Amino acid sequence: MSLRKRLRNLAHNLKDKASVFAAALSIKRHVSSARVHVLRATTHSLSTPPSEARVAAVLSAGQGSHLLPRACINALMDRLHRTQSATVALKCLFMLHNVMAKGPFTLKDHLSHYPSNGGHNFLNLSTFRDHSDLETLELSSWVRWYAGVLEHVITVSRVLGYYLSSSLRDSIKRVCLGVSSGDLLYKIQGLVVFVEHVSHVPESLHLQKNDLVYELVRLVGEDYGSVQREILLRVEEIGERVGNLDVGELRELVGYLERLEETKERLQLLFVNRKKNNGFWDLIDRTKAKAVAVVEEREGKWLTVVRRGTTQSGSTRFTNPFLDPGQLIPVPPSGGWPGVN
């Protein structure tokens, strides 16, 4: 390690200790406790991610009266938006991810509506860069990607109507049976957008050797697994309805499934040690093929028109996706349609 890096680490350690000391002196005890726990969990040290004890302490600091969850989320967001360190930013995001995955409902609720109603890019890290050295520049791309993943977790929860980590998903198969095909397509779209963002992982995949990056990828992998299950149940259900969908809905479904397939290779590189879930990808391929076949069948149908007259009769064929093969449409003897000159 270079002398410059050692001096920077020493300065960061002193700064962390000074920040904890200053936070402990706050006269607002609920604010002080939350800030101290957040600062201790999000130090500049890159060696390890926040320990389970540190994570538990932050989650506990956000439980109790209505003031505690707000103080906890505000402390995390304040730490995240004030830092210029990629390491601190990743640890803050890691803590926020733990709030989404394991936190009580009150904490999740305050996070999902921060600052007023959440929304796209509410973490405001799309331009984050730590120029300290080459490694921190590479880590900065992980900060931007990870922040986007967490924003999409919030968005997916809104689309589904429950938090991604919620036990409600255990009964989702029953819920899928009672919704319209349009609603199924809407939710499939939201889930596919999440998968697409996850697949846009930074090129520096070698940084997964870093313990902090490894742990955050593990958490993202758990969310990805949950989203796969959500997609699986809905694709199974809409696959049973393919024959009842109109051509527009079928094309929409095929488009979503094709977008999903385009992410497969990149996802397998990211989650190299995860189960490949070949059954999931086989279902996607079969459902897409089934939908394409129905579209082709309907667009290739022939409409038979019988022309009746006093001296001659004939037939004309042309394609019409709305009629069954061989269905007869009577044409007036004059050869024209009623009301049409």
Side-chain angles (χ1 to χ4, degrees):
M1 183 184 298
S2 67
L3 177 61
R4 180 181 177 183
K5 195 167 186 176
R6 289 178 181 176
L7 291 174
R8 187 170 72 239
N9 289 343
L10 177 60
H12 284 159
N13 289 336
L14 293 173
K15 184 177 180 181
D16 287 337
K17 291 178 180 179
S19 297
V20 170
F21 180 75
L25 296 178
S26 173
I27 59 174
K28 296 181 178 180
R29 298 310 303 167
H30 66 284
V31 174
S32 172
S33 176
R35 288 190 61 196
V36 167
H37 286 304
V38 166
L39 288 167
R40 287 175 174 169
T42 59
T43 63
H44 287 76
S45 174
L46 185 59
S47 57
T48 57
S51 66
E52 291 186 10
R54 295 294 188 202
V55 172
V58 171
L59 296 182
S60 297
Q63 298 186 57
S65 71
H66 69 283
L67 296 176
L68 296 180
R70 180 178 299 176
C72 184
I73 297 302
N74 285 345
L76 278 167
M77 288 296 194
D78 185 62
R79 177 72 160 159
L80 176 63
H81 290 146
R82 286 177 179 269
T83 189
Q84 296 179 330
S85 165
T87 300
V88 173
L90 282 175
K91 288 186 176 183
C92 288
L93 293 171
F94 182 79
M95 292 304 305
L96 291 172
H97 202 166
N98 274 275
V99 168
M100 297 176 184
K102 299 185 290 187
F105 176 81
T106 51
L107 267 182
K108 293 179 182 179
D109 193 50
H110 275 83
L111 176 58
S112 65
H113 292 87
Y114 180 93
S116 57
N117 59 354
H120 178 66
N121 198 32
F122 79 101
L123 293 176
N124 196 28
L125 293 175
S126 59
T127 60
F128 180 91
R129 277 175 178 77
D130 181 349
H131 296 279
S132 300
D133 54 37
L134 179 60
E135 183 181 24
T136 58
L137 271 176
E138 288 184 326
L139 281 175
S140 297
S141 65
W142 286 87
V143 171
R144 297 190 296 272
W145 172 79
Y146 194 26
V149 170
L150 299 191
E151 289 166 349
H152 279 80
V153 169
I154 295 294
T155 301
V156 163
S157 296
R158 291 199 183 101
V159 168
L160 295 176
Y162 51 87
Y163 290 110
L164 195 56
S165 59
S166 172
S167 59
L168 285 175
R169 69 168 186 253
D170 295 336
S171 60
I172 192 60
K173 188 170 182 63
R174 184 178 70 254
V175 175
C176 287
L177 294 173
V179 301
S180 66
S181 298
D183 186 72
L184 287 174
L185 288 170
Y186 168 70
K187 288 181 169 57
I188 289 172
Q189 178 190 27
L191 293 163
V192 169
V193 170
F194 171 86
V195 175
E196 284 179 320
H197 180 82
V198 171
S199 72
H200 296 155
V201 62
E203 295 293 333
S204 51
L205 289 174
H206 63 277
L207 283 181
Q208 289 190 71
K209 296 177 181 179
N210 176 296
D211 288 343
L212 177 57
V213 174
Y214 177 85
E215 281 300 309
L216 67 87
V217 169
R218 182 185 62 79
L219 280 183
V220 173
E222 291 178 359
D223 285 339
Y224 168 63
S226 297
V227 167
Q228 265 199 334
R229 288 189 290 273
E230 298 285 350
I231 294 173
L232 181 70
L233 292 172
R234 288 172 174 82
V235 171
E236 284 180 339
E237 174 60 25
I238 204 163
E240 297 294 325
R241 307 183 188 183
V242 161
N244 297 322
L245 300 179
D246 62 40
V247 173
E249 290 172 327
L250 289 168
R251 290 188 179 280
E252 187 179 353
L253 174 62
V254 170
Y256 296 150
L257 299 182
E258 287 179 343
R259 286 165 56 183
L260 197 58
E261 287 181 324
E262 289 172 1
T263 68
K264 180 179 178 180
E265 183 177 352
R266 193 65 178 166
L267 290 170
Q268 289 179 341
L269 288 175
L270 175 61
F271 304 119
V272 65
N273 295 322
R274 283 183 59 87
K275 183 180 177 182
K276 294 184 181 298
N277 290 323
N278 290 329
F280 171 82
W281 294 108
D282 289 343
L283 174 67
I284 298 302
D285 184 62
R286 290 197 309 271
T287 305
K288 185 185 74 171
K290 186 176 179 182
V292 169
V294 174
V295 171
E296 291 176 346
E297 178 187 0
R298 291 183 183 177
E299 292 188 338
K301 286 180 178 179
W302 290 102
L303 165 64
T304 301
V305 177
V306 178
R307 186 183 302 276
R308 294 187 176 88
T310 56
T311 59
Q312 63 178 354
S313 66
S315 66
T316 304
R317 292 178 176 266
F318 57 91
T319 59
N320 188 309
F322 304 105
L323 299 174
D324 293 324
Q327 182 173 348
L328 303 181
I329 302 297
V331 178
S334 62
W337 295 99
V340 178
N341 293 325

